[in-house]
């Protein structure tokens, strides 16, 4: 079976033979394909891969310039903008993002973020958290003082809304929503629980990592983490995104007790994992690899290797024609580069891993 032994080449063949233009987003379409080819060209010094990456990115930019009605992270401008900023930060390519996404786009994204907050839609993929995530990345990377101040204000507004909209009870704080975009989605691995709490916690972790918003952000993270950990104590099923969000929170809060609980949850999940989807297993493998690296923890490192091998076998038997990062071949290709070719894991942040 070729895929088990030569996954990179199989992914390359699939992505070269086919391409999506209907969807141009980072996690659902052409921008994700472009990210894969940029990383492949960077690792292997492949001119052909670089040309494919640039060609796909040009189509993405053209589509955005013609219609930037989609603001969200999953298939809209926030995700595409994050990718371009990320490529610049990693030194993979130089693109003038401030020329491509000018202040009119920033204003549009800000207005859409506020609209989502007013609708109580906090989701990372389709809601306010994902748009704010783009502002977080731009705040951290731009050298333009005026833009930096704008992004700072946008992030502060996000935090103020979250504080105002938060529901406080004896367990801490959480957020209610009017509807949930993934109620009918069969993908088992989600970065938002039914309360959106996992993704919100992970966005708050990213904001705290900037250190400039801590007086507002730390209390929100403490209360939301307390709410989640208390809610899970009597839960029959803990999802990996919930445990991951708590582990990330423990790191920035320097909360040893929360860290111990979250690592215990992450370990327990491995004993009950019965996943038949190669795509989901690749994500599990990436999560455990990141934890194993940061904690120098043998258990998680070995679990990551185990899940990656199992995922490759499952993927070989799946008729997966999806080319995207979230559900298909671009994501698998990036995971393979990460495990097989010593690719750093910064790209996984587009999935909050």
């Amino acid at each position: 079976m070729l895929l088990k032994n030569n996954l990179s080449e199989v992914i390359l063949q699939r992505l070269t033979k086919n391409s999506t233009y209907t969807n141009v987003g980072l996690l659902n379409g052409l921008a994700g394909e472009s990210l894969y080819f940029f990383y492949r060209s960077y690792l292997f010094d492949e001119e052909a891969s670089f040309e494919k990456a640039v060609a796909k990115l040009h189509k993405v930019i053209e589509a955005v310039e013609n219609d930037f009605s989609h603001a969200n992270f999953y298939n809209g401008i926030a995700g595409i903008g994050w990718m371009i900023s990320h490529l610049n930060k990693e030194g993979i390519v130089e693109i003038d993002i401030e020329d491509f996404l000018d202040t009119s786009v920033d204003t549009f994204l800000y207005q859409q973020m506020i609209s989502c907050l007013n609708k109580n839609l906090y989701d990372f993929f389709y809601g306010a958290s994902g748009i704010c995530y783009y502002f977080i990345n731009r705040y951290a990377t731009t050298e333009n003082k005026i833009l930096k101040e704008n992004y700072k204000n946008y992030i502060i507004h996000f935090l103020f809304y979250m504080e105002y909209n938060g529901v406080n009870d004896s367990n801490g704080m959480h957020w209610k929503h009017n509807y949930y975009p993934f109620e009918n989605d069969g993908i088992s691995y989600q970065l938002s629980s039914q309360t959106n709490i996992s993704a919100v916690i992970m966005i708050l972790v990213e904001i705290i990592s900037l250190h400039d918003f801590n007086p507002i952000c730390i209390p929100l993270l403490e209360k939301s983490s307390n709410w989640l950990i208390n809610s899970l104590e009597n839960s029959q099923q803990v999802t990996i995104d919930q445990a991951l969000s708590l582990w990330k929170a423990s790191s920035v809060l320097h909360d040893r007790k929360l860290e111990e609980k979250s690592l215990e949850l992450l370990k327990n999940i491995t004993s009950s994992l019965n996943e038949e989807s190669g795509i989901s297993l690749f994500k599990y493998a990436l999560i455990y690899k990141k934890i194993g690296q940061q904690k120098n923890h043998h258990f998680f490192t070995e679990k990551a290797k185990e899940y990656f091998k199992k995922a490759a076998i499952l993927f070989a038997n799946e008729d997966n024609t999806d080319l995207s990062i979230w559900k298909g071949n671009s994501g698998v290709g990036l995971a393979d580069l990460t495990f097989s070719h010593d690719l750093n894991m910064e790209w996984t942040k587009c999935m909050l891993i």
Side-chain angles (χ1 to χ4, degrees):
M1 296 187 35
L2 178 62
L3 188 57
K4 290 197 312 185
N5 299 319
N6 203 0
L7 185 56
S8 290
E9 293 308 309
V10 170
I11 297 298
L12 177 63
Q13 290 172 20
R14 289 183 181 180
L15 289 171
T16 300
K17 182 178 179 180
N18 304 292
S19 185
T20 49
Y21 188 56
T22 305
N23 302 318
V24 299
L26 172 59
L27 295 181
N28 81 324
L30 201 60
E33 294 176 40
S34 177
L35 182 64
Y36 168 76
F37 279 110
F38 271 122
Y39 265 114
R40 185 178 175 94
S41 69
Y42 177 73
L43 279 175
F44 302 138
D45 194 24
E46 288 182 349
E47 184 65 27
S49 290
F50 183 78
E51 290 175 357
K52 290 185 179 71
V54 171
K56 291 175 186 293
L57 184 57
H58 279 168
K59 289 183 179 179
V60 171
I61 292 173
E62 182 181 273
V64 171
E65 288 175 342
N66 291 332
D67 175 19
F68 59 84
S69 58
H70 295 296
N72 64 65
F73 197 90
Y74 186 74
N75 65 350
I77 297 173
I80 295 167
W82 180 94
M83 183 192 79
I84 294 173
S85 180
H86 168 74
L87 289 170
N88 284 331
K89 182 182 177 182
E90 293 298 304
I92 295 173
V93 67
E94 291 185 11
I95 302 172
D96 189 347
I97 188 172
E98 290 166 12
D99 181 54
F100 165 49
L101 298 180
D102 60 24
T103 54
S104 66
V105 177
D106 286 339
T107 301
F108 167 73
L109 288 173
Y110 171 71
Q111 291 169 344
Q112 292 298 305
M113 183 182 77
I114 296 300
S115 176
C116 288
L117 290 168
N118 284 327
K119 295 175 184 176
N120 303 114
L121 181 58
Y122 311 109
D123 190 82
F124 170 63
F125 284 164
Y126 292 117
S129 293
I131 299 173
C132 186
Y133 193 45
Y134 165 74
F135 292 141
I136 292 166
N137 186 269
R138 292 291 291 122
Y139 177 81
T141 57
T142 186
E143 296 181 359
N144 185 310
K145 292 182 179 179
I146 296 175
L147 288 178
K148 196 175 189 74
E149 189 64 24
N150 287 342
Y151 296 134
K152 181 178 182 180
N153 289 330
Y154 297 160
I155 295 167
I156 289 173
H157 291 173
F158 173 82
L159 292 172
F160 280 161
Y161 265 84
M162 297 304 290
E163 184 177 42
Y164 180 78
N165 291 342
V167 179
N168 288 281
D169 58 29
S170 59
N171 288 333
M173 175 184 281
H174 65 287
W175 293 269
K176 293 184 177 180
H177 57 90
N178 293 328
Y179 66 95
Y180 186 66
F182 298 102
E183 286 172 346
N184 298 317
D185 195 319
I187 296 296
S188 60
Y189 173 91
Q190 297 296 357
L191 281 172
S192 302
S193 67
Q194 288 279 327
T195 61
N196 295 291
I197 194 75
S198 304
V200 170
I201 287 174
M202 286 192 267
I203 293 298
L204 294 175
V205 167
E206 294 296 324
I207 295 174
I208 287 176
S209 299
L210 300 173
H211 305 297
D212 294 336
F213 305 89
N214 288 5
I216 311 171
C217 197
I218 286 178
L220 292 177
L221 182 60
E222 290 175 337
K223 288 188 282 188
S224 56
S225 298
N226 286 339
W227 186 88
L228 180 56
I229 197 69
N230 287 322
S231 300
L232 294 179
E233 284 191 358
N234 298 316
S235 176
Q236 297 298 314
Q237 182 178 8
V238 179
T239 61
I240 196 168
D241 58 290
Q242 292 169 332
L244 174 64
S245 69
L246 290 170
W247 175 71
K248 286 194 166 191
S250 73
S251 298
V252 297
L253 293 173
H254 307 291
D255 187 328
R256 179 63 67 84
K257 186 176 180 181
L258 181 61
E259 180 184 57
E260 291 174 355
K261 287 184 177 180
S262 62
L263 289 174
E264 182 181 355
L265 290 173
L266 286 160
K267 281 185 177 181
N268 291 341
I269 288 170
T270 65
S271 64
S272 59
L273 184 62
N274 184 24
E275 182 58 65
E276 297 182 355
S277 165
I279 295 296
S280 291
L281 275 173
F282 278 118
K283 296 185 176 85
Y284 295 142
L286 291 168
I287 288 171
Y288 286 116
K289 180 177 176 63
K290 176 160 280 193
I291 296 170
Q293 284 182 344
Q294 292 192 15
K295 300 304 299 180
N296 193 26
H297 201 301
H298 180 74
F299 173 86
F300 293 111
T301 300
E302 291 304 307
K303 279 295 176 184
K305 294 177 182 177
E306 174 188 332
Y307 290 150
F308 178 79
K309 290 178 181 178
K310 185 176 181 181
I313 294 171
L314 285 173
F315 198 74
N317 296 313
E318 293 176 355
D319 184 21
N320 190 319
T321 58
D322 192 299
L323 304 180
S324 71
I325 283 182
W326 185 250
K327 296 182 181 180
N329 287 273
S330 294
V332 173
L334 285 164
D336 176 64
L337 294 178
T338 301
F339 277 85
S340 304
H341 304 285
D342 200 29
L343 175 64
N344 72 54
M345 297 195 67
E346 285 299 300
W347 74 269
T348 62
K349 288 185 176 182
C350 72
M351 301 189 294
L352 290 184
I353 294 174

